[in-house]
Amino acid sequence: MRVMLNGESRNVREGVTVDELVRDLGLNQRRIAVEVNRDILPRDQYGEHQLHEGDVVEIVQFIGGG
Amino acid sequence: MSNSDLFQLAGKSYRSRLIVGTGKYRDFAQTRAAIDASGAEIVTVAVRRVNITDPGKENLLDHLDLSRITILPNTAGCYTADDAIRTARLAREAGVGSLLKLEVIGDEKTLFPDVTATIEAAKVLVKEGFVVLPYINDDPITAKRLEEIGCAAVMPLAAPIGSGLGIRNPYNIRIILEHSRVPVIVDAGVGTASDVSLAMELGCDAVLLNTAIAGAKDPLLMAEAMRLACEAGRKAFLAGRIPRKLYATASSPIEGLLD
């Protein structure tokens, strides 16, 4: 199925959880925040939250800034 | 500096009154070295999308000593209250606490703040428990409004972000200082060490800068200069400068002059 991930259309496994997605991307050890369809997903819900076709997912982190 | 002269912000004490940004450095090693040389204990960061095509790239926070440094996320690049609120919530979720440099930009060319949007966002974020440090014009009325809303400090600009023009209106900064019951942090527009000294001599509680260090020919040397200027300006403020007079006053006694 396809989801929008950080503005790009991406193929992911049917029923993939946010935790699995984050691990697949190698981001599980990192300070990140995740939004699904504009709602922030608390970290303790990554494991149970399954993505659905067409979900809009944003994953952000901290970068250099002033 | 005496140990009792600490910078108090939202219930925490800091020895350094310099807050530095982490943008525009060559690499993370230089970022870290500049922070160390500046002595800053609070550093700002931005919130951005992870690069999904290359997520393995190193992360800024891995290079910062988080046992010593307080992270101050910003809402840079946000042009509406909603965008700033969304960014703030994401920053807090990412797990570095509730401190927030609230920045709602009104115009691309000047990067001046949108005052009404800043106030609107501050109201929401203070209610949500954020420790809000708003970037504002050097406007005493805006400073007062934001203090009344419950912001933990006010951060008037010295000059446009990245302009290096220094404090354009020290008189407005003085008025803000006279009326403010929260810390006043000069944020943006600092160009060189004397600008930092001036801010401290005026009595500001801290100075926030980024480009003045990162954009210098030798960032590490400038970081050190900023640290020293901050300390010198603070000491001069505490020491109390002499009044300005139009005419001379001799430093050597008249008594005992040769006939």
Side-chain angles (χ1 to χ4, degrees):
Chain A
M1 64 176 190
R2 295 197 82 80
V3 298
M4 280 297 278
L5 179 57
N6 283 9
E8 289 171 31
S9 181
R10 203 178 170 97
N11 243 331
V12 294
R13 288 191 304 279
E14 200 74 33
V16 69
T17 67
V18 170
D19 186 58
E20 288 162 346
L21 178 70
V22 163
R23 281 174 191 283
D24 287 350
L25 291 167
L27 298 172
N28 47 311
Q29 298 296 324
R30 214 178 269 186
R31 280 169 210 266
I32 55 167
V34 177
E35 253 186 9
V36 180
N37 300 326
R38 283 270 182 164
D39 289 324
I40 287 178
L41 189 70
R43 194 168 278 261
D44 58 11
Q45 292 175 25
Y46 288 4
E48 67 204 48
H49 191 100
Q50 289 185 317
L51 293 179
H52 300 98
E53 173 80 29
D55 276 351
V56 178
V57 182
E58 297 284 352
I59 305 179
V60 300
Q61 64 177 352
F62 295 116
I63 65 154
Chain B
M1 195 84 47
S2 82
N3 284 333
S4 59
D5 181 46
L6 298 172
F7 169 44
Q8 309 276 351
L9 181 67
K12 264 190 90 174
S13 302
Y14 302 90
R15 283 185 309 278
S16 171
R17 292 176 178 273
L18 205 56
I19 302 172
V20 297
T22 53
K24 301 184 185 174
Y25 285 101
R26 191 180 61 215
D27 51 37
F28 292 140
Q30 191 187 47
T31 311
R32 178 168 183 150
I35 292 168
D36 288 347
S38 76
E41 295 165 295
I42 304 174
V43 306
T44 62
V45 297
V47 178
R48 291 292 180 272
R49 280 173 166 166
V50 172
N51 181 353
I52 294 301
T53 49
D54 189 10
K57 267 170 79 175
E58 284 183 286
N59 182 248
L60 169 65
L61 293 200
D62 297 336
H63 291 262
L64 303 181
D65 179 2
L66 297 181
S67 65
R68 195 182 72 76
I69 283 172
T70 299
I71 299 292
L72 172 57
N74 68 29
T75 61
C78 292
Y79 281 78
T80 66
D82 281 348
D83 281 350
I85 292 164
R86 183 184 182 196
T87 303
R89 289 171 178 160
L90 283 166
R92 183 158 67 180
E93 180 59 29
V96 292
S98 295
L99 266 189
L100 181 76
K101 172 177 165 176
L102 174 63
E103 194 175 334
V104 189
I105 301 299
D107 168 66
E108 238 172 64
K109 189 165 181 179
T110 60
L111 298 180
F112 281 144
D114 181 324
V115 175
T116 49
T118 302
I119 289 174
E120 192 186 330
K123 280 182 185 164
V124 173
L125 293 169
V126 166
K127 272 199 195 117
E128 292 185 10
F130 284 91
V131 177
V132 180
L133 318 178
Y135 155 73
I136 56 171
N137 284 307
D138 50 6
D139 171 21
I141 307 303
T142 306
K144 203 69 207 164
R145 293 286 173 272
L146 286 159
E147 178 186 308
E148 287 162 1
I149 286 167
C151 290
V154 289
M155 304 209 293
L157 52 77
I161 294 171
S163 70
L165 288 173
I167 300 182
R168 295 296 76 203
N169 196 337
Y171 301 100
N172 271 27
I173 301 289
R174 270 176 60 186
I175 295 172
I176 291 172
L177 283 163
E178 268 192 31
H179 294 278
S180 189
R181 283 167 303 179
V182 294
V184 176
I185 302 167
V186 160
D187 174 12
V190 164
T192 189
S194 53
D195 299 332
V196 173
S197 288
L198 175 58
M200 299 315 294
E201 286 170 21
L202 287 170
C204 293
D205 295 276
V207 177
L208 194 165
L209 56 89
N210 187 156
T211 309
I213 294 178
K217 235 185 269 174
D218 184 339
L220 303 194
L221 193 57
M222 185 58 90
E224 186 189 358
M226 293 302 190
R227 173 173 64 77
L228 294 169
C230 192
E231 288 176 12
R234 179 64 184 177
K235 285 185 181 182
F237 169 72
L238 293 174
R241 61 154 298 147
I242 60 164
R244 292 179 172 85
K245 287 181 294 187
L246 192 56
Y247 292 103
T249 312
S251 304
S252 309
I254 308 294
E255 258 171 64
L257 272 178
L258 300 176
D259 288 331

